[in-house]
């Protein structure tokens, strides 16, 4: 593959890596499982068990495993055609996926802040309307 094709694959493969990592570590559909893993990561006596359960609560940690899975699944390599290309691809994929997740997290935070501001303005308007009706 040319460098341009490798770069295209990098930015495209990072999308499902980021999506899977974010969904499992943040979204409501996996909340119960995530809370169980959180409890186990704090209470298990064995260090290996604590670290295993922790990886399901951290999008950065979990993205390494998902990225590794996609590198193996697609046999994606960067720059070099041997085992070093797989390692470079793996870490580059993690980095881009985490940039996507950071941007998505920031976007969600901005949307939530705007919703709160809108609700505040709506409450003020409703209060003024009810004051006018009472007068």
């Amino acid at each position: 593959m040319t460098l341009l094709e490798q770069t295209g694959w990098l930015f495209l493969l990072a999308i499902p890596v980021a999506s899977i990592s974010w969904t499992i570590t943040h979204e409501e559909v996996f909340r119960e499982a995530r809370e169980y893993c959180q409890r186990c990561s704090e209470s298990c006596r064995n260090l290996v068990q604590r670290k295993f359960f922790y990886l399901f609560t951290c999008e950065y940690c979990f993205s390494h495993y998902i990225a590794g899975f996609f590198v193996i699944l697609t046999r994606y390599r960067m720059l070099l055609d041997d085992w070093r290309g797989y390692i470079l691809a793996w870490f580059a994929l993690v980095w881009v996926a985490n940039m996507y997740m950071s941007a998505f997290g920031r976007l969600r935070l901005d949307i939530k802040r705007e919703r709160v501001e809108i609700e505040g303005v709506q409450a003020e308007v409703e209060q003024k309307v009810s004051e006018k009706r009472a007068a």
Side-chain angles (χ1 to χ4, degrees), residues 18 27 30-31 35 49 51 54 71-72 88 92 95-96 100 111-112 116 120 122-124 135:
E27 296 303 328
F30 290 102
R31 182 178 52 85
E35 287 173 353
Q49 287 177 327
K51 298 306 174 188
Y54 180 76
V71 166
I72 292 168
L88 289 171
W95 189 80
V96 174
Y100 287 166
I111 290 169
K112 188 172 189 173
V116 168
Q122 285 176 338
E124 287 177 20

Side-chain angles (χ1 to χ4, degrees), residues 40-41 44-55:
C40 289
S41 75
C44 285
R45 293 181 186 205
N46 186 330
L47 176 69
V48 174
Q49 287 177 327
R50 285 195 312 267
K51 298 306 174 188
F52 172 78
F53 285 110
Y54 180 76
L55 86 92

Side-chain angles (χ1 to χ4, degrees), residues 6-132:
Q6 290 176 15
T7 305
W9 272 88
L10 173 65
F11 285 98
L12 289 174
L13 277 178
I15 294 169
V17 170
S19 177
I20 293 167
S21 298
W22 183 272
T23 300
I24 290 175
T25 60
H26 285 85
E27 296 303 328
E28 185 66 22
V29 69
F30 290 102
R31 182 178 52 85
E32 291 85 2
R34 189 174 49 255
E35 287 173 353
Y36 171 78
C37 290
Q38 180 73 35
R39 284 191 307 274
C40 289
S41 75
E42 294 169 353
S43 64
C44 285
R45 293 181 186 205
N46 186 330
L47 176 69
V48 174
Q49 287 177 327
R50 285 195 312 267
K51 298 306 174 188
F52 172 78
F53 285 110
Y54 180 76
L55 86 92
F56 293 101
T57 65
C58 171
E59 74 270 5
Y60 177 74
C61 302
F62 195 59
S63 69
H64 282 78
Y65 293 93
I66 301 301
F69 171 76
F70 274 92
V71 166
I72 292 168
L73 180 71
T74 62
R75 297 181 186 179
Y76 174 61
R77 293 182 302 263
M78 283 197 76
L79 303 177
L80 304 168
D81 285 333
D82 58 6
W83 63 271
R84 297 172 299 172
Y86 288 115
I87 292 174
L88 289 171
W90 181 37
F91 284 111
L93 196 51
V94 168
W95 189 80
V96 174
N98 278 280
M99 291 299 107
Y100 287 166
M101 287 186 284
S102 294
F104 181 68
R106 181 72 169 192
L107 177 65
R108 284 184 61 160
L109 186 62
D110 288 344
I111 290 169
K112 188 172 189 173
R113 182 179 43 102
E114 287 177 9
R115 267 194 210 135
V116 168
E117 289 174 0
I118 289 169
E119 288 172 1
V121 169
Q122 285 176 338
E124 287 177 20
V125 168
E126 289 172 4
Q127 183 181 8
K128 287 179 183 178
V129 168
S130 64
E131 287 173 0
K132 285 183 179 179

